[in-house]
Structure formats: C-alpha cells, structure tokens
Amino acid sequence: MSSSLNKSSSNGCEKVLPLEDQQAKVNEVRKSIGTLPDKLSIYCSDASICRYLRARNWNVKKATKMLKDTLKWRSEYKPEEIRWEEVADEAETGKIYRSNYIDKHGRTVLVMRPSFENSKSTKGQIRYLVYCMENAILNLPQEQEQMVWLIDFQGFNLSHISVKVTRETAHVLQEHYPERLGLAILYNPPKFFEPFWMLVKPFLEPKTRNKVKFVYSDDINTKKIMEDHFDMDQLESAFGGNDTTGFDINKYAERMKEDDKKMPAFWTKGNPPAPATSEPVPNNDTPSSDSTIKLEDDAADSIEKRNGSEGVLPAPNHTMLTVDSSRNPTKEVQ
C-alpha cells in the first residue's frame, strides 16, 4: 500500500493515503463489523468510518475496535433519540447552544459558556452535551462534517472545574465523536488556564492543537482572527461581533423542537449523515449475510489509552478543549 506523510505546522506528522487505499481500509473495517441494524448501518457511512480510521492513524484494527465501542454505546445510549423536553432544564442558562449563524466554511457553531453551568448532575450535563453534538451534526451542510466551538470564558473561575464531568466528557467526545472538531476558539481564557494547558499539551496530537486558538479581546490580532472565520454582523457581541441580540431560551427552545422533528428522517435509509468531500467514493459492497457485528468484543479494553486519537483537553466542566497557549494566532489545520 502506498502512502505519504504530511508534516504539520507543529512538527507532527499525519499519514495521508491515496483515495483507493482509503477505500480499501474502509472496506476492511466494514467487513469486520458485519451487518448492522438500520440506524447503526446508516451511521457507518464511508465518511464516518474514515473519521475513525483517521483518529487511529489508519490502523484498521484500532479503528474497528473504536467504532465497535461507539456502536455499542449508541445502541445503548441512543443519542439520536434524545429530545428537547428531556434536556431543557440543562439548557436554560445558555451554557451550550447552537448559534443561528455558521462560520465562513459553512460549519455549525456551538457556543459554550462554562461559567453559566446550572447543574450538579453529571448525567444531565453529559446528556445535554450529547444532544448538542447530535443537533450540530444534524445541521451540518452536505459538504461539511466538522463543527466550530466558540468558548466564552467570561466569569469563569476554578469553582467551575469539575474533574468528574471533565473525565466523562473527555471519554464521550474522544471515543464517540472523533474528527468532529474543526476549530475551537477560547475567548478570554483566564491566566490560570494556560499553566493547566501546559501540563496536558505533551499528550495531544499536533493536528489537534492547531485546530484551537487562544483569543483575547485586548489583543490586536483578535479582530482579524474573528473576521477570518465569521461574518461580523452575525457574530455575537460577546465575541467582538455586531449582533447584540443575546441568547433567548424561549426562541431557542422553538428552534430545537423543530430540529427534533427532523431527527427521525435523518436516521432512516436513504438519508445518511452528510459525507465529507475529501472522503473516498461510496462503497456499494454489501457484507455477507452470515457476517454479524460483535459489539461486545474487547469490552474489557474499551477504556484503554488511545495513542494517535484526536486529543481533548480537560477543561471547565463539559467544555473540552485542545489548545495552543500562545496569544499569537496559529494557522488552522483543515
């Protein structure tokens, strides 16, 4: 198999494969997982399998195990069945919400405000985070598979950090939503956050670090960074934009209820999750009828450390970040 190495701007390397080799690995994973129920079958599009392969640096065995763990989780947790009424209490302060604008690349934007945490329930916080991730994916355009996180640190202090919630969040995002983060902007993070970052930085992949920018409102580069990624007339004033509307829980609830109505159709045959334009051509091969998925395989190893996966930095409550501590903007890795 031919392959090449693409050096990143942070002196890291990521394996890049020709499309035909990508497809071959996708087919290997697909053969390994076997036949699936409808929803899980829809989830396992070529684009989705590619995300797991990229997260494991195109190692078929590791990617297959990671995907099987996710399929087991989705079959039990049923994230696509979470509805607004179940998580509305968690959402009322606007601690996480999908903005009504997208970035200049067409990516869904999730706004996170960790100082607005209103719950002590780890289960409730994670449930709402999963709902937000599923909703963000639902609203991605056909040509996109990644999202943007805007994290507002206004009012944030050490009391907002929960180790338990951080651990649970890291597990869910790393293991079950690989390669979904396209860009994360940390807006006005406190000074104590940077030393915390330095402790975890060595464990993160360079490609992930380059997806995240530290932005400060008193930095001369801030306006350019935000203008490069957003329409300033649509961007909220909290992030230096011109929109002063603010978060309205009642209006947001109506948006989410309308989105909930779209979710069943999203998970039916003929309407799979949107593929990325960079993914291999669709695979029309059908697994053999005697091939069945074994979701319980390697269950004892499901919490093993994943070298080569997209890193997640434990941060305030359920806001999980991978960051570059320099105030100077770094080029985003697409």
Side-chain angles (χ1 to χ4, degrees):
M1 179 187 71
S2 61
S3 64
S4 60
L5 291 176
N6 179 31
K7 293 289 183 179
S8 79
S9 59
S10 297
N11 296 321
C13 60
E14 179 182 357
K15 186 181 292 185
V16 179
L17 302 179
L19 287 179
E20 58 269 24
D21 290 342
Q22 292 184 34
Q23 186 66 68
K25 288 183 176 291
V26 167
N27 293 344
E28 285 187 65
V29 174
R30 193 178 296 284
K31 182 178 180 180
S32 296
I33 62 176
T35 55
L36 297 165
D38 281 352
K39 285 183 180 180
L40 297 184
S41 178
I42 292 170
Y43 181 80
C44 290
S45 64
D46 282 2
S48 183
I49 294 174
C50 268
R51 285 194 297 274
Y52 285 81
L53 282 163
R54 291 199 303 270
R56 294 295 176 259
N57 202 26
W58 298 97
N59 183 301
V60 170
K61 183 178 180 180
K62 291 181 178 180
T64 300
K65 184 187 182 309
M66 184 186 189
L67 179 56
K68 283 184 176 182
D69 288 343
T70 291
L71 294 175
K72 184 175 187 296
W73 174 77
R74 293 190 72 90
S75 68
E76 296 172 350
Y77 199 81
K78 302 185 185 304
E80 76 283 355
E81 296 182 9
I82 303 173
R83 295 296 179 261
W84 173 255
E85 288 75 12
E86 181 182 344
V87 296
D89 289 345
E90 292 283 341
E92 61 184 9
T93 62
K95 62 184 179 184
I96 307 181
Y97 60 91
R98 179 176 61 81
S99 70
N100 57 7
Y101 53 87
I102 56 178
D103 81 336
K104 289 185 177 180
H105 297 284
R107 296 175 293 195
T108 304
V109 177
L110 282 183
V111 175
M112 302 179 177
R113 294 193 162 99
S115 66
F116 285 27
E117 182 55 66
N118 62 333
S119 170
K120 293 183 178 180
S121 168
T122 300
K123 180 179 178 181
Q125 291 180 46
I126 298 301
R127 194 79 173 163
Y128 181 53
L129 173 66
V130 169
Y131 175 82
C132 291
M133 291 295 293
E134 295 288 317
N135 180 268
I137 293 168
L138 171 71
N139 284 278
L140 285 170
Q142 286 291 324
E143 69 277 6
Q144 270 294 349
E145 63 173 1
Q146 293 186 322
M147 64 188 71
V148 175
W149 296 349
L150 276 178
I151 302 98
D152 180 8
F153 280 89
Q154 180 182 9
F156 178 78
N157 57 54
L158 288 171
S159 68
H160 296 115
I161 296 178
S162 167
V163 174
K164 183 178 181 181
V165 175
T166 293
R167 186 186 304 114
E168 290 293 325
T169 303
H171 175 72
V172 169
L173 294 181
Q174 285 189 125
E175 305 304 318
H176 305 314
Y177 294 96
E179 300 293 322
R180 282 300 190 182
L181 177 63
L183 171 69
I185 293 180
L186 284 66
Y187 202 80
N188 286 333
K191 289 295 183 183
F192 66 78
F193 198 84
E194 293 185 14
F196 180 60
W197 151 245
M198 295 304 293
L199 292 175
V200 299
K201 183 176 180 180
F203 301 100
L204 303 177
E205 283 288 292
K207 68 172 183 176
T208 305
R209 295 201 299 265
N210 290 337
K211 291 179 180 180
V212 184
K213 302 178 188 293
F214 272 67
V215 174
Y216 299 84
S217 57
D218 60 353
D219 191 292
I220 59 174
N221 295 305
T222 294
K223 187 174 182 180
K224 181 177 183 346
I225 293 173
M226 304 308 281
E227 285 180 344
D228 284 346
H229 290 91
F230 303 99
D231 180 333
M232 299 304 286
D233 287 333
Q234 296 180 347
L235 185 67
E236 297 158 74
S237 57
F239 299 104
N242 301 323
D243 184 359
T244 58
T245 304
F247 177 76
D248 185 317
I249 184 59
N250 295 318
K251 291 181 179 179
Y252 190 68
E254 292 305 312
R255 287 175 57 202
M256 294 301 100
K257 290 176 184 177
E258 289 301 311
D259 280 354
D260 285 352
K261 296 176 184 177
K262 304 173 187 176
M263 192 64 78
F266 187 75
W267 291 103
T268 57
K269 288 280 187 184
N271 188 26
T277 55
S278 61
E279 304 300 359
V281 294
N283 172 42
N284 295 319
D285 294 339
T286 302
S288 59
S289 59
D290 60 348
S291 175
T292 57
I293 184 169
K294 297 178 180 178
L295 296 179
E296 71 277 6
D297 285 355
D298 303 318
D301 299 325
S302 62
I303 311 182
E304 68 178 12
K305 291 186 178 179
R306 316 279 191 173
N307 292 330
S309 66
E310 180 172 32
V312 177
L313 166 62
N317 286 357
H318 47 265
T319 304
M320 311 304 297
L321 313 170
T322 54
V323 296
D324 182 339
S325 61
S326 171
R327 289 193 175 203
N328 294 322
T330 55
K331 185 177 181 181
E332 174 188 353
V333 176
Q334 295 294 339

